[in-house]
C-alpha cells in the first residue's frame, strides 16, 4: 500500500484502497499540476511550503476500507487542507471526510484566497473511510486541492498507559537528566545541563551510551533537526546566541559564522548593558528556526523615577533564521521582532515582558506563552504573531491582542497547539502558595476553559504546585508534567508528577496504574527523578519524561 497516510502499515492493517481524480493522477508530495504524472509543483498553502501530502483535483475521492481500523485501534485522521497557491486566487472546492457513510467533516467552500483549515476527525472503530474533494458546484477549473500531511494514527498496543517501560535503559530510567531536552528521530535524547555557570549538552542514546560537550553559551533551549543536527539557543555576551552541533557533538562550522549565530539585541547605556536572551526554539517544517525570548525594553517614568530608561528583558523578542543560520529578511524587520506593544498604551505605566515558550500553528503562525510584569501585578500572557512576524491583530482584538489570564501572580511556562486549533498554556498562579494553572484558548484567542490543580488537599499555605510542560497528542489528549513542593511538616515534601487529560480537560482514567490519570515520580523504582522539566513523545507513542536527574520512559 502506498505510504501517503503515515502511521498505516500493511503488516498492521488489511485494507483495500481505490482513488479517482478530476484531472490527471493524484500526486504524492507535490501539487496536482497538469494531466501527467509527476508534473506537480511544491505543495504550497498560504505561502507556506510543505514537503508531504497529496495534490488532487476536484472531483476527487480516496477510499480506504477494511477490517483493520479496529485492530489495532486507529483513532484519528488529521490533515491540513486548502487550494494550492499554484492557482493564485482561482479555484473553489469543498473538502469532506466520510466514515462508514457518515459525513464527519465539511470544509465549506474554499478558494485560492481562503486560509487553510486543520482537519481533526476521530475515526475509532470505523471500517470505511472516504476523503472527498468536490468542485463546490461551479465547475472544476483551477480546482487544485491539497491534503497536507494526511495522517491516520494507529497506535501500537503496549502495557498499561502511564506505567514505566522497564525495557528502557535496563529498568525504565536513566540516572542523568537536564533542565531542557529534545528528542532525536532515532529516540536519542539531547539534554541541557546547568551547573552554576557551566552548561553541558548531553546525548543519551536508547542503548544507554552517553556523550557530552561543554557549551560556550548559557543554554536554555534545544531542538533537533530531521538530519540529526542539534541547535542550542540561549545567551552569550548579553544577547541572542545559537550554536549548531553535528550528531557527534562537534560544532557544525557550516552554520552561521563558524557554527554559531549571534544576534545583538542588547542595549548599552551609561556603561551598563541591558540583556537579551533566547528562552525557547521551534523548527518550522521548511527548516527555518524561530527563537523567542526577551530583549531590553523601555522603562517609563514614575514619580520616584522621572527619566525614561531601559530594563533587562522588557520586551518579547523573536528572530527567524534560515537553515544556514542567516537572519530571515522576510520575518519582522530584517529577521527580528522586538515587541514591547504594551508600553505605548500608558507611558506612565511600567511593563516588562518575558517570552517563556513557543509553539507553531500549522498555518505558520507563532504562539508565545510567558509573563508580563505591570507594577505590582504579574499576568500570564499568550501572544500570537503571523508567519511574517507581525502581531496577529485577529487575535483578541479587545485585549491589545494578548491572552492575559488575570490570576494573581500567574505565569505561563509552556504552550502547545492542539490538533483542533485550541491553544493550551500551562504554568502556575499565586505568590507564596501557588496552584498549577492550565488555560485553553479558542483559535481566535478567546478563553475556552481554565483549570487549577493542587496535589495535596490538606495543604493550606506555602505549598507550590506548577505545571512545567504540556504535550498535545495527535488524538487531542494532553500530557503534562508538574512539580509539587511543601515545606510544612507532615506533608509530602516533594513530588514530580506526570498526568494526562482528555480533550475535554478531564483526567484520563486510562492513564496510570491506579486509574487516576496522575502518576507520581517513584524514587524507589526509578531513582531520584528530580524536578520534571519536560515530556517528549517518540514516534511509536511512548513518553519520555525528563527531570533534572533522570529520564523515564512510560507507555502511552
Amino acid at each position: 500500500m502506498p505510504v501517503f497516510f503515515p502511521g498505516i502499515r500493511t503488516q498492521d492493517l488489511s485494507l483495500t484502497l481505490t482513488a479517482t481524480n478530476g484531472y490527471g493522477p493524484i500526486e504524492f508530495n507535490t501539487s496536482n499540476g497538469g494531466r501527467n504524472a509527476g508534473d506537480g509543483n511544491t505543495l504550497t498553502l498560504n505561502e507556506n511550503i510543505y514537503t508531504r501530502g497529496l495534490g488532487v483535483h476536484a472531483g476527487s475521492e480516496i477510499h480506504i476500507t477494511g477490517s483493520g481500523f479496529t485492530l489495532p485501534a486507529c483513532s484519528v485522521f488529521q490533515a491540513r487542507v486548502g487550494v494550492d497557491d499554484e492557482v493564485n486566487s482561482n479555484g473553489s472546492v469543498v473538502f469532506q471526510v466520510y466514515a462508514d457513510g457518515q459525513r464527519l467533516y465539511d470544509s465549506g467552500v474554499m478558494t485560492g484566497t481562503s486560509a487553510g483549515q486543520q482537519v481533526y476527525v476521530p475515526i475509532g472503530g470505523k471500517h470505511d473511510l472516504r476523503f472527498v474533494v468536490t468542485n463546490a458546484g461551479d465547475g472544476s477549473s483551477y480546482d487544485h486541492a491539497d491534503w497536507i500531511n494526511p495522517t491516520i494514527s494507529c497506535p501500537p498496543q503496549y502495557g498499561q498507559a502511564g506505567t514505566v517501560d522497564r525495557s528502557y535503559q535496563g529498568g525504565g530510567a536513566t540516572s542523568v537528566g537536564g533542565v531542557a531536552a529534545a528528542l532525536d528521530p532515532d529516540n536519542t535524547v539531547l539534554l541541557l545541563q546547568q551547573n552554576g555557570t557551566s552548561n553541558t549538552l548531553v546525548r543519551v542514546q536508547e542503548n544507554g551510551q552517553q556523550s557530552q560537550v561543554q557549551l560556550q553559551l548559557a543554554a536554555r533551549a534545544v531542538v533537533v533537526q530531521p538530519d540529526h543536527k542539534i541547535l542550542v539557543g540561549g545567551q552569550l555576551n548579553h544577547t541572542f546566541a545559537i550554536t549548531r552541533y553535528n550528531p557527534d557533538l562537534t560544532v557544525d562550522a557550516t552554520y552561521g559564522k563558524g557554527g554559531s549565530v549571534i544576534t545583538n539585541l542588547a542595549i548599552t547605556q551609561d556603561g551598563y548593558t541591558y540583556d537579551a536572551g533566547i528562552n525557547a526554539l521551534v523548527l518550522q517544517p521548511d527548516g527555518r528556526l524561530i527563537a523567542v525570548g526577551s530583549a531590553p525594553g523601555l522603562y517609563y517614568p514614575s514619580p520616584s523615577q522621572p527619566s525614561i530608561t531601559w530594563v533587562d528583558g522588557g520586551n518579547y523578542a523573536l528572530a527567524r533564521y534560515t537553515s544556514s543560520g542567516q537572519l530571515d529578511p522576510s520575518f519582522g524587520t530584517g529577521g527580528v521582532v522586538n515587541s514591547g506593544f504594551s508600553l505605548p498604551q500608558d507611558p506612565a505605566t511600567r511593563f516588562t515582558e518575558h517570552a517563556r515558550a513557543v509553539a507553531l500553528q500549522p498555518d505558520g503562525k507563532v504562539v508565545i506563552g510567558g509573563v508580563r510584569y505591570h507594577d505590582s501585578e504579574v499576568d500570564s500572557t499568550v501572544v500570537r504573531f503571523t508567519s511574517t512576524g507581525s502581531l496577529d491583530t485577529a487575535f483578541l482584538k479587545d485585549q491589545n491582542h494578548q491572552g492575559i489570564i488575570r490570576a494573581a501572580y500567574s505565569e505561563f511556562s509552556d504552550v502547545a497547539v492542539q490538533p483542533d486549533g485550541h491553544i493550551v498554556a500551562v504554568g502556575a498562579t499565586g505568590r507564596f502558595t501557588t496552584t498549577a494553572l492550565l488555560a485553553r484558548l479558542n483559535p481566535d484567542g478567546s478563553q475556552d476553559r481554565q483549570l487549577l490543580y493542587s496535589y495535596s488537599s490538606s495543604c493550606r499555605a506555602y505549598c507550590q504546585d506548577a505545571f512545567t510542560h504540556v504535550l498535545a497528542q495527535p488524538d487531542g489528549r494532553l500530557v503534562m508534567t508538574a512539580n509539587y513542593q511543601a515545606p510544612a511538616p507532615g506533608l509530602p515534601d516533594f513530588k514530580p508528577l506526570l498526568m494526562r487529560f482528555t480533550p475535554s480537560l478531564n483526567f484520563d482514567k486510562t492513564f496510570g496504574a491506579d486509574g487516576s490519570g496522575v502518576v507520581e515520580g517513584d524514587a524507589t523504582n526509578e531513582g531520584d527523578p528530580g524536578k520534571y522539566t519536560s515530556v517528549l513523545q517518540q514516534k511509536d507513542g511512548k513518553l519520555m519524561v525528563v527531570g533534572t536527574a533522570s529520564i523515564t520512559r512510560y507507555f502511552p
Side-chain angles (χ1 to χ4, degrees), residues 155-188:
Q157 303 303 295
Y158 293 127
Q160 170 64 45
T163 61
V164 176
D165 175 9
R166 300 294 176 187
S167 69
Y168 179 66
Q169 301 280 343
T174 69
S175 58
V176 60
V179 296
L183 190 63
D184 191 282
D186 66 1
N187 295 334
T188 294

Side-chain angles (χ1 to χ4, degrees), residues 106-261:
D106 189 301
S107 67
V109 176
M110 301 184 71
T111 70
T113 62
S114 300
Q117 292 186 23
Q118 192 67 21
V119 183
Y120 178 85
V121 180
I123 57 171
K126 305 299 183 183
H127 301 276
D128 187 280
L129 299 178
R130 293 167 52 226
F131 306 95
V132 176
V133 177
T134 76
N135 65 10
D138 60 357
S140 57
S141 297
Y142 298 102
D143 286 353
H144 294 206
D146 294 340
W147 297 91
I148 301 296
N149 295 321
T151 305
I152 293 177
S153 300
C154 303
Q157 303 303 295
Y158 293 127
Q160 170 64 45
T163 61
V164 176
D165 175 9
R166 300 294 176 187
S167 69
Y168 179 66
Q169 301 280 343
T174 69
S175 58
V176 60
V179 296
L183 190 63
D184 191 282
D186 66 1
N187 295 334
T188 294
V189 179
L190 284 305
L191 299 171
L192 294 183
Q193 295 182 332
Q194 294 176 348
N195 183 11
T197 58
S198 175
N199 288 257
T200 307
L201 174 64
V202 182
R203 187 171 183 264
V204 183
Q205 295 178 252
E206 196 168 19
N207 62 9
Q209 293 184 346
Q210 297 180 21
S211 54
Q212 65 182 46
V213 62
Q214 291 295 118
L215 303 175
Q216 297 300 310
L217 52 79
R220 298 170 184 165
V222 57
V223 294
V224 184
Q225 298 181 170
D227 62 2
H228 309 289
K229 291 186 178 182
I230 306 148
L231 290 154
V232 177
Q235 184 188 68
L236 184 66
N237 297 329
H238 302 281
T239 195
F240 271 37
I242 300 168
T243 301
R244 188 164 73 184
Y245 293 87
N246 295 308
D248 63 359
L249 300 190
T250 58
V251 173
D252 177 11
T254 67
Y255 186 76
K257 185 177 181 180
S260 296
V261 176

Side-chain angles (χ1 to χ4, degrees), residues 486-506:
L491 293 172
D493 180 44
F494 174 78
K495 284 287 183 183
L497 304 168
L498 175 68
M499 57 191 73
R500 188 161 71 187
F501 290 89
T502 66
S504 57
L505 297 188
N506 296 312

